[in-house]
Amino acid sequence: LRAIKRFGRTLWRRWSGYHRRSRVETKMNCMKLLGQKLMSRDFDRQTAELQVRIAILNRFTALGIPVTQPVG
C-alpha cells in the first residue's frame, strides 16, 4: 500500500507484475469452469486432458479477439 501511495497505482502494477498475475488468475478460473477434476487416472492421459482444455480455451480466446482491417 505504501508503494501505491508513493508511486501511484499504474506504476505499481507495472513494477509488481500485477497485470500478468491477474490475467493468469482469470485463465485459471476459466480452466476450473471446464471441470474441477481430471477424469483420467493415468498421468499421460491427464496431460492429454489438460492439453485439450487449454486448446479449447485458446480457441475461445481467438474467437473473442476482433480482426481489424485497414479501411481506405
Side-chain angles (χ1 to χ4, degrees):
L1 292 173
R2 281 185 241 146
I4 293 173
K5 190 173 186 178
R6 186 172 183 183
F7 301 114
R9 188 177 301 267
T10 305
L11 190 60
W12 170 78
R13 284 180 180 165
R14 191 175 304 140
W15 172 75
S16 67
Y18 178 81
H19 182 66
R20 178 178 284 184
R21 183 170 40 245
S22 175
R23 291 181 66 150
V24 169
E25 288 175 2
T26 303
K27 282 297 176 186
M28 288 306 294
N29 186 34
C30 292
M31 284 284 289
K32 288 181 180 180
L33 290 175
L34 290 175
Q36 284 283 357
K37 296 181 180 179
L38 295 174
M39 298 295 179
S40 305
R41 291 186 179 183
D42 184 43
F43 180 74
D44 291 333
R45 290 182 179 160
Q46 287 178 349
T47 304
E49 190 176 336
L50 286 174
Q51 288 174 344
V52 167
R53 288 183 187 182
I54 291 169
I56 291 169
L57 280 177
N58 286 339
R59 181 67 179 151
F60 284 159
T61 302
L63 289 172
I65 296 174
V67 177
T68 56
Q69 297 178 351
V71 178

